[in-house]
């Protein structure tokens, strides 16, 4: 194989063979192809695209570039859930305990925050003592015993993606449908689940900002799943504004606990129930998402979901006391209310800018080695469509110091637009995609 020839063929728009794609993926994983050729190839793919066969071949080659977890020792159908990345997107911490409380094993490998989006592992680590670094054997034992574990990757899953993702970040090739689809699906297929529910975000805080592109991404991943023999359901949900009201690691844990305690309703709960209901369907726990929603609601109202979260925290060596007393979660030095300062209607949010504001406060990393401050972030008190008065609260900041609070207040103000005219709240979800087709709700 000759890498220059493969790059040339993609540059000219030809479909690559499975062997050529495997050579590229293996070269990325083993570092036998130099970064400059990998980068040129990524840009050729970004500009010329890939057909469904090529995208699937790339996904499978990336999956097979490292370990593939074997979860067969856990009885039942293991269903995973993955989000393409959002702000205030804490669905895992809400739905994983609810799904597990319905008797479906949740063996989940999650990720860390990336850019403006938060990561489940970082949120969980804000709980005192909790570890997400658990080996495969202990992971399997925990799921056998408690029905739930949410951990970091074990072994070396899809090392080709690790190399390529780092290069994409610095070569302006993140926003490529075949590269996103193969990146996500290679990791999901390697993590050993039997079926997968994907939360494809759309809107100002999403990797794909238009609805049509988001639906295409969902379709591509459902198709890869079908070709790889794993059922996949993709749900396209709105990221025109943060999903939950809380943005920041410990703050998002608090919101998840509030939801599981029945104290908080709203968008985070609704989207968690939707995704969870499709997980129950794929796990054959029920026939329809409506039935699934009923089962999850019962688990919520009976408190079984909250109990399951406590069991998981204890199993992962965390202190479960924060579930009964959220004031035990890390707290910031400065807590400050910001007023709206005008009247009108909340019209639009730049969700990516809101995520970046939280990152700048210390909730996310600017570089890989940065230490997070789990306590910081903000609670948004408005949503798109709300009618507001000057004295209403826009948000409550949780900051390390007054200067950072000032900067966050400015950034958050700049990210929210108002209108004199009434504004319609955007829908929480737009489409559900299965192998049978696309069901649209817009
Ligand atoms: N998340 C991933 O894991 N990969 C991508 O390419 C985009 C989002
Ligand atoms: Ca995430």
């Amino acid at each position: 194989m000759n890498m220059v020839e493969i790059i040339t063929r993609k540059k000219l728009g030809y479909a690559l063979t499975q062997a050529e794609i495997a050579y590229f993926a293996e070269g990325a994983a083993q570092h036998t192809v130099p970064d400059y050729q990998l980068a040129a190839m990524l840009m050729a793919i970004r500009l010329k695209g890939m057909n469904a066969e090529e995208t699937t071949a790339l996904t499978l080659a990336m999956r097979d570039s490292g370990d593939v977890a074997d979860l067969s020792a856990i009885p039942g159908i293991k269903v995973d859930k993955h989000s393409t990345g959002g702000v205030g997107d804490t669905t895992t911490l809400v739905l994983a305990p609810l799904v597990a409380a319905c008797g479906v094993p949740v063996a989940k490998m999650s990720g860390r925050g990336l850019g403006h989006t938060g990561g489940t592992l970082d949120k969980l680590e804000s709980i005192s003592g909790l570890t997400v670094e658990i080996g495969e054997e202990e992971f399997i034992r925990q799921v056998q015993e408690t029905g739930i574990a949410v951990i970091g990757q074990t072994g070396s899953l899809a090392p080709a993606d690790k190399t390529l993702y780092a290069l994409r970040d610095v070569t302006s090739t993140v926003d490529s449908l075949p590269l996103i689809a193969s990146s996500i699906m290679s990791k999901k297929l390697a993590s050993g689940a039997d079926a997968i529910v994907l939360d494809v975000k759309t809107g100002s805080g999403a990797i794909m900002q238009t609805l049509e592109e988001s639906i295409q991404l969902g379709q591509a991943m459902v198709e890869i799943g079908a070709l790889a023999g794993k059922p996949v359901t993709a749900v396209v949900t709105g990221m025109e504004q943060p999903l939950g009201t809380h943005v920041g690691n410990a703050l998002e844990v608090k919101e998840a606990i509030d939801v599981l305690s029945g104290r908080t309703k709203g968008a985070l709960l609704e989207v968690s129930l939707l995704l969870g209901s499709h997980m129950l369907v794929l796990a054959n726990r029920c026939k329809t998402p409506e039935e699934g929603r009923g089962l999850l609601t019962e688990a919520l109202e009976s408190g079984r979901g909250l109990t399951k979260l406590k069991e998981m925290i204890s199993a992962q060596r965390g202190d479960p006391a924060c579930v009964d007393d959220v004031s035990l979660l890390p707290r910031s030095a400065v807590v400050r209310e910001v007023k709206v300062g005008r009247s009108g209607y909340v019209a639009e949010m730049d969700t990516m800018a809101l995520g970046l504001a939280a990152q700048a406060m210390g909730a996310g990393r600017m570089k890989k080695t940065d230490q997070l401050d789990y306590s910081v972030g903000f609670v948004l008190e408005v949503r798109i469509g709300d009618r507001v008065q000057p004295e209403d609260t826009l948000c409550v900041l949780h900051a390390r110091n007054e200067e950072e609070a000032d900067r966050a207040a400015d950034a958050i103000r700049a990210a929210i637009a108002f209108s004199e005219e009434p504004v319609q709240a955007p829908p929480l979800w737009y489409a559900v995609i299965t192998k049978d087709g696309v069901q649209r709700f817009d």
Side-chain angles (χ1 to χ4, degrees):
M1 286 279 165
N2 176 338
M3 197 60 213
V4 179
E5 249 171 53
I6 300 174
I7 295 167
T8 305
R9 281 175 29 76
K10 184 42 74 183
K11 176 184 79 177
L12 296 175
Y14 295 107
L16 301 178
T17 67
Q18 203 175 342
E20 289 170 327
I21 290 169
Y23 182 80
F24 164 62
E26 199 54 25
Q30 303 297 329
H31 302 285
T32 49
V33 171
D35 281 359
Y36 48 83
Q37 287 182 323
L38 297 176
M41 181 70 182
L42 289 169
M43 187 56 85
I45 294 171
R46 165 64 181 80
L47 295 176
K48 295 295 176 174
M50 279 186 147
N51 65 31
E53 287 71 39
E54 289 176 284
T55 307
T56 300
L58 180 57
T59 307
L60 299 184
M62 297 210 307
R63 175 196 66 187
D64 296 335
S65 70
D67 302 331
V68 175
D70 177 3
L71 303 181
S72 57
I74 302 167
I77 301 174
K78 279 76 67 187
V79 187
D80 201 348
K81 188 245 31 165
H82 183 80
S83 156
T84 59
V87 178
D89 176 18
T90 322
T91 59
T92 295
L93 296 184
V94 175
L95 65 76
L98 291 176
V99 167
C102 291
V104 170
V106 177
K108 185 158 170 41
M109 293 185 201
S110 282
R112 297 202 178 271
L114 192 68
H116 70 287
T117 69
T120 301
L121 298 183
D122 297 324
K123 297 171 200 176
L124 279 173
E125 282 178 344
S126 68
I127 297 170
S128 166
L130 187 139
T131 180
V132 296
E133 272 149 41
I134 288 175
E136 191 163 328
E137 250 173 66
E138 193 186 339
F139 175 54
I140 289 172
R141 187 158 12 94
Q142 183 180 324
V143 180
Q144 286 168 336
E145 285 169 7
T146 66
I148 184 170
V150 178
I151 66 163
Q153 284 187 8
T154 64
S156 157
L157 294 192
D161 179 64
K162 198 167 178 196
T163 306
L164 294 177
Y165 200 95
L167 287 172
R168 284 167 62 205
D169 217 15
V170 291
T171 55
S172 188
T173 52
V174 171
D175 63 340
S176 153
L177 189 147
L179 293 178
I180 297 170
S182 57
S183 165
I184 292 174
M185 287 302 292
S186 64
K187 285 176 286 193
K188 288 291 114 182
L189 294 174
S191 70
D194 303 307
I196 301 150
V197 173
L198 297 168
D199 181 6
V200 179
K201 303 290 185 188
T202 194
S204 61
I207 195 163
M208 289 291 185
Q209 304 199 345
T210 72
L211 179 57
E212 295 317 313
E213 285 176 316
S214 305
I215 289 176
Q216 283 168 14
L217 176 60
Q219 284 177 301
M221 294 193 286
V222 168
E223 194 169 338
I224 292 168
L227 291 167
K230 307 247 176 171
V232 174
T233 297
V235 182
V236 178
T237 67
M239 199 29 77
E240 296 88 354
Q241 58 191 330
L243 178 59
T245 56
H246 291 50
V247 180
N249 295 291
L251 289 168
E252 292 183 47
V253 171
K254 174 188 177 293
E255 186 171 23
I257 292 169
D258 286 343
V259 169
L260 287 171
S261 308
R263 288 191 290 271
T264 296
K265 308 239 182 282
L268 174 60
L269 172 61
E270 289 304 317
V271 171
S272 300
L273 291 175
L274 179 73
L275 296 168
S277 70
H278 284 285
M279 291 172 76
L280 295 186
V281 171
L282 287 184
N284 282 338
R285 179 69 177 77
C286 58
K287 290 260 178 320
T288 64
E290 292 72 30
E291 213 182 313
R293 189 184 159 101
L295 293 169
L296 295 165
T297 305
E298 218 174 274
L300 177 85
E301 287 172 354
S302 64
R304 282 185 291 125
L306 194 67
T307 304
K308 198 47 88 178
L309 176 66
K310 268 195 217 173
E311 284 177 36
M312 182 185 96
I313 293 172
S314 298
Q316 295 184 210
R317 302 194 271 285
D319 181 359
C322 64
V323 174
D324 296 316
D325 180 1
V326 290
S327 73
L328 296 172
L329 289 164
R331 292 205 282 178
S332 63
V334 174
V335 178
R336 185 202 296 178
E337 211 177 324
V338 177
K339 301 280 185 204
V340 174
R342 58 162 292 166
S343 59
Y345 296 86
V346 182
E348 257 183 82
M349 297 197 195
D350 180 343
T351 309
M352 188 180 291
L354 291 171
L356 292 172
Q359 183 188 28
M361 295 173 87
R365 295 175 189 81
M366 302 283 185
K367 24 182 223 312
K368 243 160 98 177
T369 49
D370 284 350
Q371 288 287 321
L372 298 185
D373 185 325
Y374 295 119
S375 71
V376 299
F378 52 85
V379 180
L380 271 186
E381 301 277 338
V382 299
R383 291 186 72 77
I384 296 174
D386 284 0
R387 182 170 183 188
V388 291
Q389 301 297 336
E391 281 309 298
D392 290 346
T393 305
L394 181 70
C395 64
V396 179
L397 302 171
H398 296 251
R400 288 184 286 214
N401 54 54
E402 298 294 343
E403 297 71 49
E404 289 185 346
D406 289 343
R407 249 177 283 150
D410 290 343
I412 292 167
R413 277 188 193 293
I416 301 177
F418 296 87
S419 131
E420 300 297 333
E421 308 300 322
V423 173
Q424 179 119 41
L428 294 177
W429 51 81
Y430 293 89
V432 173
I433 305 159
T434 65
K435 64 175 184 356
D436 301 323
V438 182
Q439 186 186 10
R440 290 182 73 132
F441 300 96
D442 61 317

